[in-house]
Amino acid sequence: MSITHKLPYEWQIGLRYTRAGKRSGRNSFISFISMASVAGIALGVAALIVVLSVMNGFQKEVTNRMLSMLAHVEIFDARGALPDWRATSADALRHPEVRAAAPFLDAQSMLLVDGVMKPALLRGIEPTEEARVSDIVQQMREGSFDSLRPGSYNVVLGRALAKSLGVGVGDRVSLLVASSGILGGAASPGENPLPRSRALTVSGIFEAGHFEFDSTLALVNIADAETATGATAPLGLRLRLADLQQAPRVAYELQQSMAGDLIMRDWTKVNTVWFAAVQSQKNMMFIILTMIVAVAAFNLVSTLVMTVKDKQADIAILRTLGASPRGIMKIFIVQGTLVGMLGGLLGVGLGVLVALNVDVIVPAIERVLGVHFLSQEVYLISEMPSELRWNDVGWIGGVAVVLSFLATIYPSWAASRVKPAEALRYE
């Protein structure tokens, strides 16, 4: 005996109705509408999986590239400078989550080469300590990071910034920076507000893969930065943690345990607007694409209404044989839900296949059409990323099945209300 013969009669008839259109010319149009519903659900589910996977990948890729240069936690002194940074660093390193600390000094500046002037964020660093809190050494493309020795007035530029200035390793650039240009600080009363000028030698070029850093960041030794800006101490400390996801908690704990009037800022606060915007866009895309799935799912209403109309004689015979209204309702709920499950499974398969191969499919489309979908200046990255999350796949498939089930309720209820005598009158 086959498995289908062991099922309740509602399931057996519902399965038969789902397959009947292929063998019956009478039901071919109903079958076409049913297959269109399956295709619509499948395409909607696949689109939702692919779009969310790309947005997940975009968020992860940009976050990783940002964190390759951003500190997990930054420590500032409320007075505007951190003169005893070594003691503060030793205090921070007592926390079990803190792995490394490095001083830094940021200042807004301009770089000038042969009449070409570009804005830059001048960052003074201690090369040895900086290598422990960022991935800058691995991102060097030309020159040497160790060239940033005190008094050398060497500078390491982001690749996009160096390209816009038209300079390479060994070239000279002019630095213009105001004393009051130090981030977090201000010029003292009577201090000369005129910009300071200093000649720098390009000793290296890095590429973080994040356009914001590659196009604006200029790294020098912190001693040279202090001389160029007139500062007397680092602006703050950059910390690297064992687990970057614990940054908000660690920042709070350091705030409570460390002495002095210190200000803590974790990486989630640096780009709060960006992260909030990406999450908001992801939520909106989920809602919009779910509507596409809903439209396809509710096409089942018309399919089942026509099926009920066509099967009125069958319904009447079943009722005369003792089938209850509830049993009749179950038949059409089974039929509609199976169509929704079939569309959902096909959509999940197609969506997962595309999401796992976005890195191959998108470049192929770009070559065929001769276009480039992501401009690095706008989207910060130039390649289409994708990260498939199985909990997203589960949610999307579940939503498709639930919407399909909801779409079956009214037609199934209408089928249960069919009166046998009226249905058989003209048969």
Side-chain angles (χ1 to χ4, degrees):
M1 182 180 290
S2 66
I3 295 177
T4 56
H5 289 128
K6 297 179 182 179
L7 294 172
Y9 78 90
E10 298 96 342
W11 281 86
Q12 294 182 41
I13 298 173
L15 285 167
R16 188 180 306 159
Y17 282 177
T18 303
R19 305 192 305 264
K22 295 184 178 180
R23 299 193 299 268
S24 173
R26 180 182 177 186
N27 298 324
S28 59
F29 182 68
I30 297 175
S31 177
F32 172 77
I33 298 297
S34 179
M35 290 302 102
S37 298
V38 170
I41 294 171
L43 290 175
V45 167
L48 192 48
I49 290 174
V50 172
V51 169
L52 290 186
S53 296
V54 169
M55 295 194 74
N56 290 335
F58 179 84
Q59 185 176 15
K60 180 181 179 181
E61 187 71 18
V62 174
T63 299
N64 288 342
R65 295 187 183 191
M66 291 169 74
L67 292 177
S68 70
M69 296 298 292
L70 289 176
H72 294 170
V73 176
E74 292 178 331
I75 301 178
F76 301 94
D77 194 302
R79 295 168 295 181
L82 200 64
D84 195 7
W85 68 266
R86 296 186 186 278
T88 305
S89 174
D91 197 6
L93 288 169
R94 293 191 183 97
H95 193 287
E97 286 286 332
V98 179
R99 292 290 179 265
F104 74 99
L105 175 65
D106 283 352
Q108 299 292 352
S109 65
M110 301 293 290
L111 295 179
L112 176 64
V113 179
D114 296 332
V116 177
M117 184 177 290
K118 295 292 180 180
L121 174 62
L122 183 71
R123 174 167 294 171
I125 58 170
E126 286 281 359
T128 304
E129 283 81 2
E130 181 65 23
R132 298 192 183 104
V133 300
S134 72
D135 299 332
I136 184 65
V137 175
Q138 292 78 16
Q139 295 165 346
M140 292 295 296
R141 298 294 177 262
E142 299 178 39
S144 171
F145 186 66
D146 294 332
S147 63
L148 299 181
R149 297 178 298 274
S152 64
Y153 292 101
N154 288 332
V155 61
V156 171
L157 302 177
R159 181 179 289 279
L161 179 58
K163 183 179 179 180
S164 65
L165 290 169
V167 298
V169 174
D171 292 335
R172 304 274 285 180
V173 299
S174 297
L175 170 71
L176 299 175
V177 58
S179 300
S180 58
I182 302 172
L183 298 184
S188 302
E191 186 178 359
N192 185 6
L194 295 177
R196 296 168 178 262
S197 177
R198 175 70 64 172
L200 303 176
T201 302
V202 179
S203 62
I205 295 174
F206 72 88
E207 186 174 22
H210 189 288
F211 189 73
E212 180 180 349
F213 298 124
D214 291 341
S215 63
T216 61
L217 195 56
L219 303 174
V220 298
N221 189 280
I222 196 166
D224 295 345
E226 289 177 356
T227 302
T229 61
T232 58
L235 179 63
L237 283 176
R238 290 156 49 83
L239 306 184
R240 174 61 64 100
L241 307 182
D243 182 2
L244 63 90
Q245 301 300 332
Q246 301 300 318
R249 176 182 63 83
V250 173
Y252 175 77
E253 292 175 355
L254 290 174
Q255 183 78 62
Q256 301 301 312
S257 63
M258 294 180 66
D261 190 8
L262 301 178
I263 300 172
M264 308 292 170
R265 184 175 67 175
D266 65 86
W267 65 271
T268 63
K269 302 295 192 299
V270 177
N271 287 279
T272 305
V273 175
W274 186 85
F275 286 112
V278 170
Q279 189 59 46
S280 176
Q281 290 174 359
K282 182 180 176 182
N283 293 339
M284 289 304 301
M285 288 302 299
F286 182 86
I287 293 171
I288 292 170
L289 293 175
T290 300
M291 290 180 183
I292 297 175
V293 178
V295 169
F298 284 111
N299 280 339
L300 289 173
V301 174
S302 59
T303 303
L304 292 178
V305 167
M306 288 188 290
T307 303
V308 169
K309 188 71 175 176
D310 187 67
K311 301 294 185 182
Q312 282 193 356
D314 293 359
I315 295 169
I317 293 170
L318 287 170
R319 289 296 306 278
T320 59
L321 292 175
S324 66
R326 184 174 181 180
I328 298 298
M329 191 172 180
K330 275 186 180 180
I331 291 171
F332 293 96
I333 288 178
V334 167
Q335 181 188 358
T337 304
L338 285 174
V339 170
M341 290 180 66
L342 177 61
L345 287 174
L346 291 174
V348 165
L350 178 62
V352 169
L353 182 65
V354 173
L356 293 176
N357 293 279
V358 164
D359 57 335
V360 176
I361 295 172
V362 171
I365 295 174
E366 289 179 338
R367 285 194 297 271
V368 171
L369 300 180
V371 299
H372 193 67
F373 292 135
L374 291 181
S375 171
Q376 193 179 49
E377 289 80 358
V378 177
Y379 297 101
L380 307 180
I381 57 177
S382 58
E383 297 178 355
M384 188 78 74
S386 177
E387 182 189 15
L388 183 68
R389 296 180 184 174
W390 291 107
N391 60 328
D392 285 346
V393 174
W395 272 105
I396 294 166
V399 166
V401 173
V402 169
L403 290 174
S404 300
F405 171 77
L406 294 175
T408 67
I409 292 177
Y410 174 74
S412 302
W413 176 81
S416 71
R417 305 288 293 175
V418 170
K419 296 177 181 176
E422 292 183 5
L424 292 173
R425 179 177 301 170
Y426 301 106
E427 293 292 331

